[in-house]
Amino acid sequence: MSIGNADSWDRYWAHGFLTSCADAFAGNYEGSMRTVWEKRFSALPDGSRVLDICTGNGAIALIAAATARRLDCKLLIHAIDLADIHPERAVHDEARPLLDDINFHSRTDVCETGFTNDSFDLISGHFALEYADREPAVRELVRITAENGEHMFVMHSTESVILKTAAVELEHIDLLHGSALFERAGDFLRLVANKSAEEKEALAKMPEAEERRTALNRAAALVSAAIKQSAHPEILRTALGHVSAAYKALANEGLDKALQQLQQGAAEIAANAGRLADLRQAASTLQDIKHLGELYAKYGFVDFSFDVLKEEPAGLIGWIVHARRTG
Ligand SMILES: C[S@@+](CC[C@H](N)C(=O)[O-])C[C@H]1O[C@@H](n2cnc3c(N)ncnc32)[C@H](O)[C@@H]1O
């Protein structure tokens, strides 16, 4: 059991994003979100066994692998996700050899991992545990943790800047749906495809063509106006980018390619909508985090602590949670 459905995460990771924040980072997580993980992985002794849960395309597992290489430390890294993941699509250039240091497992539920008891010294998760059914997940993770092993999770907070940004982006996605930008663009491109210069001239005088052009311009103007007013316009820019790429594709490669480009745009927006809706559902209040502590206590981990993770000047990023098996 988990929040959302595996299909929307399948689509999201197949698109080739590396992190769960879509295009927010040029490469992997940056700032405090990266630093906390580098610090944690740096402290691991040689030979430690690490499991990154709900890994997506492996952002945190890759930080573990990079840290280990930098310190010339051997880590045995496994990374699991319920979705079908594609780290090879998300990683480029100099980071590519790091993939050899990680054992990725698609379609692996954190509530039923298949690992034997006492398998791991550190279990990591970034925007991870909160997406799964908490009690079965905690029970399973406790089972596969070695004596003195630790869990560290960065978790979404209902008060974080990420949640505030997500709310704005979800509004933008509603606006895109309302504008029917991709449908209008498709209607117009179908009309002007494969027309000679004379036919295009004739089209310009046809009321139906004029109507379709005006409808498309109106949709594009609505999106452009929202971009100007928004502090987080990336999703809207992405949508307009797909429309202009479709125009180019029509000129260079024909109608099928142009329509494909629009379909890709719509799929990318849909994948983002799924991700953002799941995020909103996954975010934890202080009460939720205290409840997590009680669950750990129930399953025998006595060492549980949490704090907030902040980034300057952005503000609150989320919760940072530690748990340790003492016996
Ligand atoms: C927000 S993403 C985080 C991915 C990655 N940790 C990152 O920060 O880029 C949450 C991930 O949890 C996965 N997930 C949800 N429920 C799960 C479960 N029960 N077992 C394993 N993975 C799960 C989803 O497929 C998704 O890839």
Side-chain angles (χ1 to χ4, degrees):
M1 272 286 292
S2 45
I3 286 175
N5 61 58
D7 277 5
S8 70
W9 285 111
D10 283 357
R11 276 198 299 277
Y12 184 80
W13 301 120
H15 183 76
F17 290 122
L18 176 57
T19 74
S20 67
C21 296
D23 290 323
F25 302 97
N28 207 326
Y29 288 114
E30 290 164 9
S32 64
M33 285 199 268
R34 188 179 179 95
T35 314
V36 286
W37 288 114
E38 284 179 339
K39 200 169 152 204
R40 185 65 198 88
F41 294 130
S42 303
L44 287 173
D46 206 47
S48 297
R49 299 156 299 168
V50 177
L51 172 67
D52 188 50
I53 62 159
C54 306
T55 195
N57 273 346
I60 302 307
L62 284 158
I63 295 176
T67 306
R69 280 203 182 201
R70 184 164 45 77
L71 299 176
D72 198 18
C73 167
K74 285 254 170 310
L75 295 181
L76 176 65
I77 308 169
H78 285 270
I80 61 169
D81 200 287
L82 192 58
D84 195 13
I85 53 173
H86 297 275
E88 74 293 346
R89 293 191 193 164
V91 172
H92 304 287
D93 308 329
E94 72 276 11
R96 203 165 268 286
L98 296 174
L99 293 177
D100 296 339
D101 300 353
I102 304 164
N103 303 288
F104 285 104
H105 310 265
S106 284
R107 296 268 181 261
T108 304
D109 191 339
V110 67
C111 304
E112 205 177 343
T113 60
F115 292 110
T116 52
N117 289 359
D118 307 341
S119 288
F120 295 101
D121 303 298
L122 174 67
I123 296 183
S124 58
H126 190 97
F127 303 148
L129 184 63
E130 62 271 47
Y131 285 84
D133 234 4
R134 289 203 196 173
E135 180 147 7
V138 167
R139 190 174 49 221
E140 172 69 352
L141 295 178
V142 163
R143 182 187 71 75
I144 61 174
T145 303
E147 203 172 315
N148 283 318
E150 284 191 38
H151 295 181
M152 175 170 146
F153 301 120
V154 170
M155 298 177 71
H156 285 302
S157 155
T158 48
E159 304 302 315
S160 75
V161 285
I162 297 172
L163 263 288
K164 286 180 186 140
T165 306
V168 173
E169 291 187 316
L170 282 165
E171 275 173 25
H172 289 344
I173 290 173
D174 280 348
L175 179 133
L176 278 172
H177 287 146
S179 75
L181 177 71
F182 292 123
E183 293 83 348
R184 303 276 184 249
D187 287 348
F188 185 67
L189 293 182
R190 271 187 215 95
L191 191 72
V192 296
N194 307 319
K195 299 283 187 297
S196 66
E198 294 86 57
E199 285 170 324
K200 279 190 185 151
E201 219 171 281
L203 262 184
K205 294 174 194 140
M206 279 170 55
E208 191 202 345
E210 188 50 30
E211 250 171 52
R212 289 197 197 184
R213 188 197 312 276
T214 309
L216 173 57
N217 287 345
R218 212 179 284 133
L222 199 70
V223 175
S224 301
I227 288 176
K228 281 196 194 122
Q229 284 168 12
S230 175
H232 305 288
E234 293 76 15
I235 278 186
L236 298 173
R237 284 216 179 96
T238 300
L240 276 189
H242 278 286
V243 171
S244 50
Y247 264 90
K248 272 196 204 119
L250 184 72
N252 300 326
E253 297 161 280
L255 181 62
D256 283 352
K257 276 276 174 217
L259 294 179
Q260 241 176 46
Q261 185 70 48
L262 292 178
Q263 261 169 16
Q264 264 173 32
E268 190 174 332
I269 301 301
N272 272 298
R275 166 185 74 90
L276 292 166
D278 288 2
L279 189 167
R280 194 143 70 173
Q281 222 185 317
S284 297
T285 61
L286 175 61
Q287 199 57 30
D288 296 329
I289 297 295
K290 286 184 176 164
H291 181 239
L292 182 61
E294 288 160 15
L295 273 182
Y296 269 106
K298 177 173 170 185
Y299 289 101
F301 272 39
V302 287
D303 235 353
F304 178 88
S305 62
F306 64 90
D307 203 346
V308 289
L309 180 65
K310 289 187 175 161
E311 174 87 47
E312 291 306 333
L316 185 69
I317 298 294
W319 301 106
I320 179 157
V321 171
H322 296 269
R324 192 160 68 89
R325 177 180 161 188
T326 44

